[in-house]
Amino acid sequence: MLEENKLEIHAALNADLGRGKFENYVFEIDYTINEINHMLMNIKNWAASEMPPKAMINLLDDVVIHKEPYGVVLVIGAWNYPIQLSLVPFMGAIAAGNSVILKPSEVAVNCSNILGELIPKYLNNECYKVILGGINETTELLKQKFDYIFYTGSTAVGRIVREASNKYLTPVTLELGGKSPVYIDSTADINVTAKRVLWGKFINMGQTCIAPDYIICSKEVQDAFIKEAKLIIKEWFGENPQNSPDLSRIINEKHYQRLINFLSDGEVAIGGHTDPSEKFIAPTILINVKFTDAVMSEEIFGPILPIVNISNAYEAINFINSRDKPLALYIFGTNKEEINLIINNTSSGNTIVNDTILHVSVDTLPFGGIGPSGMGSYHGKLTFDTFVHPKGCLIKNFNIIGETIAAVRYPPYSDKKLKFLNFLMAKRPDIPGVKFLPYLVMFGLGIAVTFGFKAIMKEHLYAAEP
Ligand code: NAD
C-alpha cells in the first residue's frame, strides 16, 4: 500500500503539515516501510514459542512461552506524524495476530482520509477497520471492550484513555508527550551541538513529541550557542525562512495561536517572525526566559526554543527532577563523569547523549515515556511484543521417572523429602561447567529409578513364581 501510493501519501502529508518531500519520506513513508520490512524479516522468530531455561525439577517437562495475540486492538494515532504513528503500531498489532481498529487523528484530516480510503483496499475488511472521526467517535470507541489499546497523543487525553481502559482492565500503551530538556555543558562542541539541537527542534516545525523543548545551560554557553545558531539557521533556511521549502507549517489555527502567545516570554534572540495567513512561525530562540514563564510550563510543540540559564550539571539535575519526567532527555558535553552523573540521577523515557531524535531509529532501543510522558514502549521487536500476551505454559507428562521424583511433594511429608525437594528446586548460578550438573544428576537419578523399578518388578515376579 505504501509503495503503491507514495505520491498520494506525500501529497496528503503536504496538505496537512506543509511538509516537504525529504521529511515526509524519511520520517513517514520510508520509515514505515522499513519497520514493516524489519517485521517481515523477523516475524517467524519473534512469533515462535520460547523455551526459557528451567530448574532441575522441570528437566523432564516442557517449559514454554507461547505468544498469544491479545484479541481486538484499538490503535489511536496522533496528527504530528500521522502516517508513521498510525501505521507502525497498526502493523505491529496485525503481525502479532490481532484484529485491529485504527483511529487516525482527525486533526491531520487529509492523512486520516487517505488511510480510511486505502487500508480497506489492501487488508481484510473483517479483521482490520479504520474509523474516521473526532473526539465524539474516539469517546464512543473507548466505551467498547478492547483487549489492548495503543494510544499516541497528549498526556491529557492519555489520562482519558487510561480511565476508559480501566472499566475492562484493558492493558494500554500510552505514547505521550511533555517537555524534553536539553542540557548543554561547557565541554560540548558548540557548532555540532547547535546543528543537532536545531535540526531536532525544527524538523516538522517543532511538532515532534521528542523535539528538544528547551535548553538549560550557562550564560557563556548560551552566548556561544546563539552565535552559531544565527549562522546555521541562515545557512539552512536562507535570509527569509518563510521561503524555505524545508520548513513545514503549524497544523491549525488553534495551535498557531497557542504558540504565538509564547513569543512574549523572555526576549527574542533569533527569529520571531510570524504570518497567520500561512500559519508560519520562523525558527525562534528566546533568551532571558524565567522558569515560571508560560513557555516553560507546557509542551511547546512548535519552532520556539527557550534558553534558561543555570550554572552547572548539579543545577541541571535539580531542575530536571523538579519537573515531570520527560519523554526524552538530551545531554551535550564530553565529560563522561558528568554525563553519567546526569544519567544516573534523572529519570526520563529515553536519554540521548550528544544528539537529538535519532534514538527513534535504533530499533533495539525501547521507545516510550515514563510517568506523565507515557507507559510502555515499542519499536523493533517491542512493536511485536507489545501486542502479544507471553503465555507461560508448563507441559508435563505421565512419565514414571518424573512422577517418582516429583512424588516427594506428596504427603506424608518428612524431613528427608523436604531436603530432596530443596535440592531439586534450589536456584543455581549460571556458572560455566556447572551448567550441565543438573542434567547429570537427573540422568543419574533416572538410571537409579529405572534399576530400582526393575529390582522391585523382579522381586514381584519371583514372588509370583510357584
Ligand atoms: P490529537 O489531538 O490528534 O489527539 C490524538 C488522538 O486522541 C486523536 O485520535 C483524537 O481523536 C483523540 N482525542 C483527542 N481528544 C480526545 C478526547 N477528549 N477524548 C478522546 N479522544 C480524544 O493529538 P495531540 O494529543 O494534540 O498530539 C500531540 C501530543 O502527542 C503531544 O503532546 C506530543 O508530544 C504527543 N505525541 C507523542 C508521541 C510519542 O510517540 N510519545 C508521538 C507523537 C505525539
Side-chain angles (χ1 to χ4, degrees), residues 7 128 157 177 181 185 295 340 355 374 394 401 412-413 423 429-430 434:
L7 292 179
Y128 315 114
V157 179
D185 185 62
V295 73
N340 285 332
D355 216 322
L394 174 63
I401 299 172
Y413 301 138
F423 170 75
D430 205 6
V434 177

Side-chain angles (χ1 to χ4, degrees), residues 76-81 85 103-108 133-136 138-139 142 151-155 157 160-161 174-178 207-210 254-255 299 301 327 367-369 373 378:
I76 305 176
W79 56 262
N80 58 329
Y81 291 89
L85 296 176
K103 161 64 188 65
S105 172
E106 72 282 8
V107 178
I135 295 175
N136 289 343
T138 318
T139 306
L142 287 172
Y151 171 78
T152 306
S154 64
T155 302
V157 179
I160 296 173
V161 173
L174 300 177
E175 290 285 339
L176 309 179
Q207 303 165 112
T208 305
C209 57
I210 46 168
K254 190 182 113 195
H255 281 283
E299 183 181 1
F301 224 54
L327 186 56
F367 178 84
S373 57
Y378 72 132

